[in-house]
Amino acid sequence: MPKADRWSSDEEEIVLLSLLPKPISHLDEGTYGVVWKARDNATQEIVAIKQIKFDSDMTKEGFPISALREIGVLLSLSHESIVSVREMVVGSTPDKVFMVMDCFEMDLQAAMKKGPGASTPFAQSEVKYMMRQILSAMAHVTSIARKYEHPARNMTQMVVTLWYRAPELLFSESCYGPEIDTWSIGCIFGELLIKEAILKGTGELDQIQKIFKLLGTPTDDEYWEQLWSKQGSTFKWKNNDSDLARTFAVNSFSATGQSYLSPDGFDLLSRLLSLNPKKRITAEDALRHSYFSCGVTEQVPMFYV
Amino acid sequence: ISSVMTFPPRADSAETIEKNRQKSEDAMQALLAMVEKERTIPPIDYDHNSPAGNAVNNIDRQKMCEWYYEMADFLKIDRSTASRSMMLLDRFMAASTHSHVAAAARQNRDQYQLFALTSLFITIKLFERLNIQAEHVSYLSRGRYGPQEIIKMEIVMLAALQWKVSEASKVDYVDIIMNYIIPRMENCSYVMR
């Protein structure tokens, strides 16, 4: 284990460590700060160093809440499919704080668009492999992060990137839990099948329309009736039937640009994308789904190696 | 706690039994992961120190603990946040082997109290939706410690704790153990019938 003070002396050293003087573009400048690629002098390993952005008023709220929570959560998790924070380094001044993390050449999106074999759909065995990784990581997060759950508390709906945001959040549901994450995983499942985001809304209203177009409008659904009546909504949504089966062809080798999808796979997809959050499958149950126990065996995707 | 006190309803079908078995199994997996993680954190020395040679002792700890719960009620925040503040403070004091600031806090009651305030500041930011500022924490100390002192100590404390501030607390352990036990109790009552 390298000693933290190796890096803690000043920021210059971090810059010297860096292989590239500029932030790496594909690791991009995230919400919380700039990501650098660096070499660990003790182990010669390549790591990613993320500098925490301090744009909030430090003199009032101290260390930024969002960064504090992210660091705390990441450090409390320990899962083979979740990026680990190796150590935290504080620079010469308290506003220079760095997270030293495992370095990955690309994220899933880049692998889909630019990785080896990008022009053809993933093999179904590869999709299954990635889905298991994602779901088992999510099951771990759900079990560990339960301490952040405060039922009956009003929470903000401004969470999750729009394309992956669950329908109930778009209707201002303020009492939510891990179901919003399994919805996002459903969106990712669809995306892995066609290598394209499945619900690309241009705004919140358009996102709702795209969701109802793909999955149908909720009819005779207790959850949605309650949510809408609670909000006093009188707006009538155009009745649609689900388009999911037509969008994702089952047992078809001729479906162009789509990975092969077994009936089990389709069943899992539709359970993850359940409009009713109370009926949406949990990550734990998804891992027990026949999709994983039957059919082709999983295979490490080509871009991993 | 009240939900724990009432005996769980009986499982009424093979399907419920299977669901319960899975719930219980998931809780056990989560518990094992928590225990595994716990091994990576230095243990807490609940006495803080031996009475000899240290200014801060167990009585100070007890006072601090009571103060945390008073503050939780006063601020109308969850009492588990008080428990977490105490845990962070204990862990920080236990870090005195590698942190000279923590070692110094053992010898100085003023420093100990300042870190106690800082710990509350950190846990509220982590677990509560209260929009807390250092100024408010300073107010809780009746102005004895200024906001800038608290902000300065925040980074010091986080570094000494190696930023491990969201680890499982006693409350989390109780919670997960109950999640393991209750589905099993339901199933037992089914078998007994």
Side-chain angles (χ1 to χ4, degrees):
Chain A
M1 187 69 190
K3 276 181 74 184
D5 58 4
R6 181 166 44 86
W7 282 330
S8 63
S9 52
D10 60 35
E11 194 224 4
E12 294 309 306
E13 230 175 303
I14 298 271
V15 177
L16 288 175
L17 276 165
S18 162
L19 293 173
L20 300 164
K22 286 201 170 80
I24 302 161
S25 59
H26 68 252
L27 289 176
D28 83 299
E29 197 166 330
T31 322
Y32 305 116
V34 184
V35 184
W36 307 74
K37 190 174 174 178
R39 187 190 299 278
D40 184 328
N41 281 342
T43 61
Q44 300 303 309
E45 283 176 294
I46 301 295
V47 293
I49 294 183
K50 184 159 156 177
Q51 180 170 9
I52 310 282
K53 212 192 263 175
F54 285 84
D55 50 10
S56 57
D57 195 350
M58 271 280 284
T59 58
K60 282 184 178 164
E61 59 171 65
F63 195 77
I65 293 185
S66 50
L68 185 63
R69 289 186 181 180
E70 188 197 5
I71 294 163
V73 169
L74 275 176
L75 281 169
S76 73
L77 300 173
S78 144
H79 190 275
E80 53 179 10
S81 305
I82 298 175
V83 63
S84 56
V85 181
R86 296 173 170 221
E87 62 186 279
M88 296 293 304
V89 180
V90 181
S92 49
T93 52
D95 63 344
K96 292 200 175 83
V97 179
F98 305 89
M99 298 166 84
V100 183
M101 302 164 95
D102 297 340
C103 186
F104 294 96
E105 283 308 312
M106 50 187 151
D107 59 21
L108 188 51
Q109 195 143 36
M112 254 190 289
K113 301 279 183 208
K114 288 177 265 173
S119 54
T120 50
F122 288 121
Q124 56 164 333
S125 52
E126 294 178 322
V127 174
K128 199 182 273 195
Y129 182 93
M130 290 183 274
M131 281 305 290
R132 185 192 287 281
Q133 280 201 325
I134 294 168
L135 284 164
S136 84
M138 186 51 74
H140 178 73
V141 172
T142 312
S143 68
I144 296 296
R146 59 170 70 241
K147 54 179 167 285
Y148 288 94
E149 278 173 33
H150 289 293
R153 212 171 265 195
N154 288 336
M155 297 186 281
T156 175
Q157 295 88 41
M158 297 306 288
V159 289
V160 194
T161 311
L162 183 64
W163 293 351
Y164 303 91
R165 201 179 296 163
E168 63 272 22
L169 292 172
L170 294 162
F171 281 97
S172 308
E173 175 64 272
S174 57
C175 192
Y176 53 82
E179 327 78 65
I180 65 162
D181 296 317
T182 37
W183 171 274
S184 306
I185 294 177
C187 297
I188 293 168
F189 193 4
E191 188 165 342
L192 289 173
L193 294 169
I194 58 171
K195 288 199 171 180
E196 184 83 55
I198 61 168
L199 294 160
K200 298 198 277 189
T202 52
E204 292 195 14
L205 187 64
D206 187 48
Q207 188 67 24
I208 293 168
Q209 281 167 339
K210 289 211 158 70
I211 290 172
F212 286 172
K213 189 168 183 302
L214 180 66
L215 295 147
T217 324
T219 43
D220 292 328
D221 187 295
E222 211 179 308
Y223 172 82
W224 283 97
E225 274 167 19
Q226 270 184 15
L227 185 65
W228 281 332
S229 78
K230 195 167 72 186
Q231 297 171 342
S233 162
T234 51
F235 190 81
K236 281 270 176 262
W237 291 89
K238 188 170 154 258
N239 263 345
N240 268 336
D241 289 333
S242 175
D243 232 1
L244 197 66
R246 250 167 305 173
T247 312
F248 294 97
V250 167
N251 275 347
S252 166
F253 284 102
S254 57
T256 44
Q258 185 202 300
S259 302
Y260 182 88
L261 183 63
S262 65
D264 282 333
F266 182 81
D267 185 72
L268 178 60
L269 178 67
S270 59
R271 284 173 195 273
L272 289 165
L273 293 176
S274 159
L275 287 173
N276 182 334
K278 312 263 179 251
K279 290 179 183 161
R280 207 170 290 150
I281 194 166
T282 64
E284 283 95 343
D285 284 340
L287 288 165
R288 286 188 275 260
H289 192 276
S290 52
Y291 173 64
F292 291 108
S293 51
C294 308
V296 295
T297 43
E298 291 148 46
Q299 187 189 308
V300 181
M302 226 197 301
F303 67 81
Y304 275 45
V305 281
Chain B
I1 296 291
S2 63
S3 67
V4 172
M5 289 309 179
T6 50
F7 204 78
R10 290 175 174 192
D12 55 5
S13 70
E15 196 190 335
T16 321
I17 289 198
E18 179 54 20
K19 274 255 171 262
N20 282 339
R21 199 193 56 75
Q22 288 175 352
K23 265 193 231 162
S24 191
E25 177 60 24
D26 289 343
M28 181 48 84
Q29 289 306 319
L31 179 61
L32 291 174
M34 278 157 74
V35 171
E36 199 49 50
K37 195 75 203 175
E38 192 79 28
R39 289 186 213 280
T40 67
I41 304 166
I44 295 173
D45 159 23
Y46 281 103
D47 288 333
H48 278 333
N49 41 54
S50 58
N54 287 302
V56 176
N57 58 36
N58 232 344
I59 297 161
D60 295 297
R61 182 183 183 276
Q62 193 184 330
K63 277 186 194 153
M64 215 71 247
C65 195
E66 283 166 8
W67 183 80
Y68 276 140
Y69 281 94
E70 276 171 33
M71 286 305 118
D73 294 346
F74 171 70
L75 295 168
K76 296 191 172 60
I77 56 175
D78 207 292
R79 285 188 138 216
S80 67
T81 304
S83 166
R84 286 183 208 283
S85 297
M86 195 68 230
M87 180 178 80
L88 279 200
L89 183 61
D90 283 340
R91 290 223 154 114
F92 172 72
M93 297 301 277
S96 58
T97 46
H98 62 84
S99 161
H100 66 275
V101 273
R106 288 187 169 210
Q107 303 301 337
N108 187 327
R109 211 163 268 140
D110 262 7
Q111 283 290 302
Y112 182 66
Q113 287 174 4
L114 175 55
F115 282 112
L117 280 170
T118 310
S119 168
L120 183 66
F121 184 44
I122 294 171
T123 21
I124 290 178
K125 289 209 286 184
L126 276 168
F127 294 97
E128 297 289 338
R129 293 201 64 225
L130 207 65
N131 181 16
I132 195 146
Q133 297 183 347
E135 200 185 327
H136 305 142
V137 184
S138 163
Y139 171 80
L140 294 180
S141 76
R142 300 199 183 99
R144 186 160 171 188
Y145 303 92
Q148 290 319 307
E149 270 182 290
I150 293 158
I151 286 174
K152 202 174 149 203
M153 285 308 141
E154 185 185 26
I155 282 280
V156 171
M157 195 168 191
L158 288 168
L161 289 165
Q162 292 167 0
W163 301 75
K164 292 179 180 167
V165 286
S166 297
E167 306 303 318
S169 72
K170 300 175 201 68
V171 185
D172 299 319
Y173 274 99
V174 171
D175 184 48
I176 204 82
I177 290 167
M178 292 323 281
N179 278 311
Y180 170 71
I181 293 173
I182 291 176
R184 287 175 71 91
M185 281 170 75
E186 283 184 48
N187 282 359
C188 283
S189 65
Y190 180 84
V191 175
M192 284 189 307
R193 247 188 312 175

